[in-house]
Amino acid sequence: MSTQDASTADLFGLEPQAPSIAGQRFEARLSRLLIADGAGFATRDVGRLEVTLEGVPGDRHMGMSRPADSRVPWYPRGTPIRNCRQVTILALDELEEIAQRLGVAEVKPEWIGANMVLEGIPRLTQLPAGTRLHFPSGAALAVEGENMPCRHAGAAVGAFYPEAEGMDVAFIKAAKGLRGLVAWVERAGEIVAGSEVSVRVPAQKLWIR
Amino acid sequence: MSTQDASTADLFGLEPQAPSIAGQRFEARLSRLLIADGAGFATRDVGRLEVTLEGVPGDRHMGMSRPADSRVPWYPRGTPIRNCRQVTILALDELEEIAQRLGVAEVKPEWIGANMVLEGIPRLTQLPAGTRLHFPSGAALAVEGENMPCRHAGAAVGAFYPEAEGMDVAFIKAAKGLRGLVAWVERAGEIVAGSEVSVRVPAQKLWIR
């Protein structure tokens, strides 16, 4: 970690203290690839997908735009907005932590709509917006950011633990910061389960007004 | 901090060391609104625009996708990629600093393709990816990030200072971190020059592998 480029701050007479870090690149692995092409929320494994700029063909989150929902309460519900939530990405270590917090044996990625399970990215959910994921075919995703846990996902987990009560609401708290990422397709192409993923994290600098 | 142990520790509730800051909201002002609807790079003032999810109708950067260029050398040139560069946003204080560094009287926003000039946002170019700009009509933009200075913009400035040499290349260095932002339209609507802009900066936390 380095401190902010002091020259810019000095010339504007502003405080030069914002923490920053240069861009980072490393390899990770796509351990599972899934699609939500059934009636509901759940996904199922596939060996490969041909993603387009609209997302995953046949997946419920496909589209260049989507209707505004309760995640973006500043837009009237149903208004078309650009779809930055085409692809749902999860990590197993984070799901294990959610399960532990909920006091259940496990939370499976396919229960809560995973399109991808990635291995080798510590604190996946914290990856900054703008991170790019490059696949061997040339296909690439761009990270929108943390997927905020909602009651729908909590209810989906609760359905597997009928003895537990209030799982839908408990999930919102237990999964905060651990429920993975949403992303959009930046470049179309083939994505194959089990392949490497090249992760490019942009330079970061805290912006403090 | 040592890689694997530290990430596991974070996940299981021990103190994460990465600097962070909560979301921020404040008001700024759209002092000028412009469109690139001529032959070249330059923009001209307009009183209002009706933006769509494709961007600014009639502007050269309009489109849901764009051909990959030298800014994204990891994609073959010309490959369609999602267009996150629909709107170019500048701040006058940053342009003044570029002019000073170049030793010229001024760098006008319309010379280097500004669609918007914003007032009241310190260190505009440093605003994090994912920042949203909300306009009174409900129209909204999402910030992709810093617009990296290129030779085309430098040459456009140089054309106004024919006595100066090598302005195209000098601009790349002088404008780094000061050339403003690129953004895309998240919600369509009217945007009016002179109006307020509500800025919503997401929570930030440095991600360090």
Side-chain angles (χ1 to χ4, degrees), chain A residues 24-164:
Chain A
Q24 299 163 78
R25 282 200 74 160
F26 58 95
E27 299 295 311
R29 204 176 78 90
L30 174 66
S31 54
R32 293 176 62 188
L33 183 65
L34 308 97
I35 187 169
D37 62 354
F41 199 78
T43 48
R44 64 174 180 90
D45 281 276
V46 290
R48 57 173 293 283
L49 286 174
E50 194 75 37
V51 300
T52 73
L53 296 186
E54 302 213 17
V56 177
D59 187 278
R60 66 181 289 160
H61 292 107
M62 188 190 187
M64 291 306 282
S65 67
R66 69 183 185 94
D69 57 19
S70 60
R71 293 179 181 279
V72 284
W74 39 87
Y75 302 129
R77 190 174 285 248
T79 312
I81 61 172
R82 179 142 150 165
N83 184 9
C84 296
R85 303 176 54 83
Q86 294 171 343
V87 179
T88 297
I89 304 172
L90 296 176
L92 291 183
D93 54 355
E94 294 186 328
L95 293 183
E96 280 168 23
E97 173 60 16
I98 296 173
Q100 217 170 78
R101 291 182 182 182
L102 289 173
V104 299
E106 61 178 343
V107 173
K108 289 192 177 173
E110 59 267 40
W111 295 351
I112 57 171
N115 293 116
M116 295 185 177
V117 178
L118 293 182
E119 266 173 29
I121 307 182
R123 285 156 285 116
L124 175 83
T125 300
Q126 310 300 328
L127 269 185
T131 295
R132 261 60 177 183
L133 305 174
H134 297 273
F135 296 88
S137 73
L141 305 182
V143 169
E144 158 72 4
E146 177 177 353
N147 194 1
M148 297 301 291
C150 71
R151 289 178 58 171
H152 299 301
V157 174
F160 291 91
Y161 300 101
E163 73 287 3

Side-chain angles (χ1 to χ4, degrees), chain B residues 13 18 24 29 35 37 45 59 72 74 91 96 110 113 134 142 149 183 187-188 192-195 198 205 207:
Chain B
Q24 300 163 79
R29 203 176 79 89
I35 187 170
D37 61 354
D45 282 276
D59 187 279
V72 283
W74 39 86
E96 280 167 23
E110 59 268 39
H134 296 274
R187 185 190 167 196
V192 179
S195 71
S198 182
K205 181 191 221 171
W207 189 92

Side-chain angles (χ1 to χ4, degrees), chain B residues 100-137:
Chain B
Q100 219 171 77
R101 290 183 182 183
L102 289 172
V104 299
E106 60 179 344
V107 172
K108 290 192 177 173
E110 59 268 39
W111 296 351
I112 56 171
N115 293 115
M116 297 186 175
V117 178
L118 293 182
E119 267 173 28
I121 307 181
R123 285 157 285 119
L124 175 83
T125 300
Q126 310 301 328
L127 270 185
T131 295
R132 261 60 176 183
L133 305 173
H134 296 274
F135 296 88
S137 72

